[in-house]
Amino acid sequence: MSERSGPKTPRLQYGALPYRLRPDGSIEILLVTTRRTRRWIVPKGWKIKGKKPAKSAAQEAFEEAGVRGAVSEKPIGSFVYDKWLDGDGAVAACEVRVFPLLVDRQENTWREIREREARWVDPDTALELIEDAGLKDLIQSFVEKLIEKPGRRRDRQPNRLQERPIPC
């Protein structure tokens, strides 16, 4: 049985929700796997010294999935999960504040390419792959708001893309 350690308030991390708009107006979201359990999540990590929260989130997205783009300074929400600490069975609650990242490019290689799988998927597939209920709710809410933005055609079907793995 795991043992929870650390302070009673969750530890704070920053995450990015990398997304892109396809030429047909549909939305794709980039997910990555965790290193230990291979669960699907968004890129996230601890605050990077000297960087604001949004820039820390963008840096995590670059290290974990090789993506760059425009990150919002305002988080779209947060979720809490239990993080395994150093393989000793201890668990700490972490709150992840998530910042949307509109991706404009993805490198062919990046720091953690051999440690994680990264995959572009449509929003429906993202919701199927992700196990964390809080993260699912956050993504669903973000996609609904993005679809409703003025200037976006509502007769398109933004969630009907084929899943595409990132070439490695």
Side-chain angles (χ1 to χ4, degrees), residues 8-10 23 44 47 50 59 64 77 87 97 103 105 107 120 133 138-139 151:
K8 294 185 187 230
T9 57
K44 62 180 177 46
K47 183 177 187 318
Q59 181 65 33
E64 295 181 12
R97 292 190 187 149
V103 174
R105 73 181 191 270
E107 304 298 330
W120 285 103
L138 193 145
I139 290 173

Side-chain angles (χ1 to χ4, degrees), residues 18 69 112:
E112 298 181 16

Side-chain angles (χ1 to χ4, degrees), residues 11-23:
R11 296 178 181 190
L12 187 57
Q13 290 188 316
Y14 299 107
L17 177 56
Y19 73 100
R20 65 185 178 190
L21 303 176
R22 305 295 296 167

Side-chain angles (χ1 to χ4, degrees), residues 71-142:
V71 66
S72 172
E73 294 295 320
K74 182 179 176 187
I76 55 172
S78 64
F79 68 98
V80 177
Y81 79 103
D82 287 333
K83 179 173 183 66
W84 293 89
L85 301 174
D86 301 325
D88 63 2
V91 176
C94 290
E95 175 188 356
V96 181
R97 292 190 187 149
V98 179
F99 297 83
L101 174 69
L102 178 57
V103 174
D104 59 31
R105 73 181 191 270
Q106 183 171 30
E107 304 298 330
N108 292 326
T109 188
W110 54 88
R111 183 175 167 186
E112 298 181 16
I113 194 169
R114 288 181 168 74
E115 300 172 40
R116 304 174 184 275
E117 183 179 347
R119 186 184 301 172
W120 285 103
V121 296
D122 65 87
D124 289 337
T125 302
L127 297 176
E128 290 172 14
L129 292 172
I130 294 169
E131 295 175 7
D132 185 278
L135 181 54
K136 280 184 179 188
D137 290 346
L138 193 145
I139 290 173
Q140 177 135 16
S141 175
F142 175 73

